[in-house]
Amino acid sequence: MSEETAPGASRREGPAGAGPGGERDGRLLLISTAPPSRSDRWLAMGVVGGLVAALVAVEPFAQVRLDGTQSLIPAYLVAVLLNQLITAVLLMSHYAVQRSRRVLVLSAGYLFAGLMIIPWALTFPGAFPAFGLDARLQATATIAAVNRLGFPLFVLVYALLPERSTGQAPRGSSAWPLTAMAAVVAGTVAALTVLVALTDTPLPPFMRDAHSVATLWRVVPPAAIVICAAGLVVLRARLRSVLDLWLLVVLASIICEVLLLGYLSDGVRLSLGWWAGRVCGLVAASIVLVVLLSGTTTLYARLARSVLAERRARESRLTTMEALSASIAHEIRQPLSSVVLSAAAGLRWLRRDTPDLAEVEASLQRIQAVGERAGQLLESIRMNFKTGAAQHVEVDVNRVIEEVIARCREETELDRIALRIELGQTLPAVAIDPLQLQLVLSNLISNALDSMREAGGRMRVLRITTRWAPDEVLVSVADNGTGLPAEHRERIFNAYFTTKAEGSGIGLMFCRSIIEANGGRIWAADNIPHGAVLHFALPTAPPRGPLRPQE
């Protein structure tokens, strides 16, 4: 496969798999390699349609002389010269990256066309009389004929050349081929200029006088049209890149230029048709330059976006690590406190005059259970931050709630908080990692207990309910504590937002990430007349892959 046929590549947007420099499958998406998009094709057709419309509009007035316009020729020549030379330089830079023989030939064509403007301008009758190079009548026409036939020939060679690609990065320096090509082109143009303008070598009789062409000139336009038509056919048959597409437009512009200069204006210089042809020539000289500049701008924009994306990804990784460390500290605090309390209790039983070994054993068993629980919490947190690593099994929500309540019952009794557990019967299983579900419930219950500790002297009640809604299981954790201000209700699940003096702002964010990663939703509401309710819902249908029963 040649370098022009990178499938699925796009010049407008970086495709999936494209690298930061606009690469796909190791190949740069330059205009000489990227396939044309639909918008490219429509734009090219629009430009050709505009040229044809201008050709039709000018036809009735093509031979009207526009006297006094000769002073515009230097500006026109400078514009064409700069466009051709800049295009040649940009194509050389493409060759330095791609090392395509076709691109090297095309850059030689633009360099040749640009350099040929110089002797054509210096020999044009009356354009630069100070140089004294306008003495020979046939000099300008001879140079124009060579240029008219030469550039389309370069494009035709570009279209006919096969592209040899090894699929590897170019090796060696590109300076030698580019220097040799520029030297050959410049030497050819210089030799032709000396031959035509500075010697007495007989020249073909293309002009009758300074304003009218001779019969021999009538051969040049059809020859140029035939070469352009051949280039159009070959390029259309091998249309593989954006550059190929716009070279079609260039050849179409040259055909319009030839028709206006050679036929509609009847060879009369400085007529409306003649100037219209020159405008078409300027368009032909500018099209590839505009496309090259546009492609370069696109690549730079893509590179800038990729740098910004990489910076955001790096910041995101730092934020994730901070969230991970905060989550570990947040979730491991309670197990560590339980370990300390159980160890202290065991030591007290051992220090009695008659040690109670049964109580010591019970304390050690609690320490073992809490340690295992802490390990499970750490693993659950790690899995949550590792994409696709969590296991999804069929989980009985009621069973998980009972396990979590059993672990926090001692805490609720010490704080004199009444538990109201209302679990729906025959609930379907949900698909989630049971450790993650325990983590969510522990967070919600812990927040509810903290809220009720700050409440007044009313009776404190923690209510946990479950019920089955269509296609999902709903869980609610309600307290009659201090409640949530309306302005905080939508923000409590944001990272680092907290209403507690010593809160980290991680717990509820962590809960939301778990629930949403499992296809669920979580939200907060008021508990009338006091407190708040946190609801979450999990889908009953398996979200992905086959599930296995909860162990």
Side-chain angles (χ1 to χ4, degrees), residues 188-218:
T188 301
V189 173
L192 182 63
T193 301
V194 171
L195 181 68
V196 170
L198 300 178
T199 67
D200 295 330
T201 304
L203 301 178
F206 289 120
M207 301 295 298
R208 287 201 308 266
D209 53 50
H211 298 287
S212 302
V213 298
T215 304
L216 182 60
W217 180 261
R218 306 293 182 185

Side-chain angles (χ1 to χ4, degrees), residues 7-162:
S10 171
R11 188 170 59 93
R12 302 301 182 208
E13 298 293 337
E23 296 187 40
R24 185 183 179 90
D25 299 331
R27 289 170 181 170
L28 288 171
L29 292 185
L30 305 170
I31 70 165
S32 56
T33 60
S37 64
R38 179 176 298 180
S39 59
D40 290 324
R41 295 174 186 270
W42 280 107
L43 182 58
M45 291 174 61
V47 173
V48 173
L51 291 172
V52 173
L55 185 70
V56 174
V58 168
E59 190 273 335
F61 315 100
Q63 297 183 26
V64 175
R65 287 289 303 274
L66 299 178
D67 295 327
T69 58
Q70 190 167 353
S71 59
L72 299 176
I73 292 177
Y76 162 78
L77 295 175
V78 170
V80 174
L81 173 64
L82 292 178
N83 286 355
Q84 300 274 24
L85 294 183
I86 294 173
T87 303
V89 171
L90 291 177
L91 287 172
M92 290 180 192
S93 67
H94 272 56
Y95 173 79
V97 175
Q98 187 188 359
R99 306 293 172 84
S100 166
R101 296 182 304 161
R102 303 177 73 211
V103 174
L104 183 64
V105 168
L106 188 63
S107 62
Y110 272 95
L111 181 62
F112 175 80
L115 293 179
M116 287 293 289
I117 293 294
I118 298 175
W120 186 86
L122 294 178
T123 58
F124 193 88
F128 295 96
F131 289 93
L133 297 178
D134 58 343
R136 303 185 69 186
L137 179 63
Q138 308 300 336
T140 305
T142 301
I143 295 172
V146 173
N147 196 19
R148 173 75 62 229
L149 300 176
F151 179 73
L153 280 173
F154 276 102
V155 177
L156 180 60
V157 173
Y158 163 88
L160 290 173
L161 272 178

Side-chain angles (χ1 to χ4, degrees), residues 287-488:
I287 288 174
V288 172
L289 173 61
V290 172
V291 175
L292 283 167
L293 293 176
S294 174
T296 302
T297 303
T298 300
L299 287 176
Y300 274 117
R302 185 180 298 152
L303 178 62
R305 287 196 299 269
S306 69
V307 170
L308 290 176
E310 184 178 353
R311 184 177 302 167
R312 286 194 297 267
R314 184 164 55 249
E315 294 173 354
S316 176
R317 286 192 295 270
L318 293 175
T319 302
T320 299
M321 293 303 298
E322 184 178 352
L324 178 59
S325 60
S327 297
I328 293 173
H330 181 272
E331 298 303 330
I332 211 69
R333 187 181 297 116
Q334 183 179 353
L336 286 177
S337 299
S338 298
V339 167
V340 172
L341 291 174
S342 297
L347 287 173
R348 285 196 302 270
W349 290 113
L350 281 174
R351 288 169 180 169
R352 296 182 64 175
D353 294 337
T354 304
D356 193 333
L357 296 181
E359 290 294 342
V360 172
E361 183 181 1
S363 297
L364 291 176
Q365 288 175 348
R366 286 195 296 271
I367 291 175
Q368 181 183 13
V370 172
E372 292 175 352
R373 166 68 180 160
Q376 292 174 347
L377 282 174
L378 291 175
E379 181 64 16
S380 179
I381 293 172
R382 187 185 71 84
M383 291 297 185
N384 191 66
F385 281 92
K386 186 176 180 181
T387 303
Q391 59 173 344
H392 290 77
V393 298
E394 293 180 353
V395 175
D396 183 347
V397 175
N398 288 347
R399 177 181 166 185
V400 174
I401 291 175
E402 291 170 352
E403 293 173 354
V404 174
I405 290 297
R407 287 195 295 268
C408 68
R409 189 175 294 277
E410 183 178 353
E411 184 178 0
T412 59
E413 290 175 353
L414 289 174
D415 289 331
R416 297 181 180 180
I417 295 174
L419 290 175
R420 300 288 186 267
I421 311 301
E422 302 172 3
L423 304 180
Q425 300 301 314
T426 65
L427 291 180
V430 298
I432 192 173
D433 184 340
L435 291 177
Q436 290 188 346
L437 182 56
Q438 291 177 16
L439 194 61
V440 171
L441 288 166
S442 297
N443 263 290
L444 299 185
I445 293 173
S446 177
N447 284 336
L449 296 180
D450 290 341
S451 175
M452 287 187 288
R453 291 190 186 102
E454 300 174 2
R458 59 180 175 270
M459 181 180 178
R460 292 173 288 186
V461 179
L462 174 63
R463 185 185 302 274
I464 301 176
T465 61
T466 61
R467 64 187 178 89
W468 183 16
D471 299 327
E472 59 185 4
V473 172
L474 298 177
V475 180
S476 301
V477 179
D479 64 72
N480 61 345
T482 56
L484 289 171
E487 63 271 18
H488 293 167

Side-chain angles (χ1 to χ4, degrees), residues 491-507:
R491 302 175 58 196
I492 60 172
F493 297 104
N494 294 343
Y496 309 117
F497 177 81
T498 180
T499 58
K500 303 176 185 178
E502 298 179 355
S504 63
I506 292 295

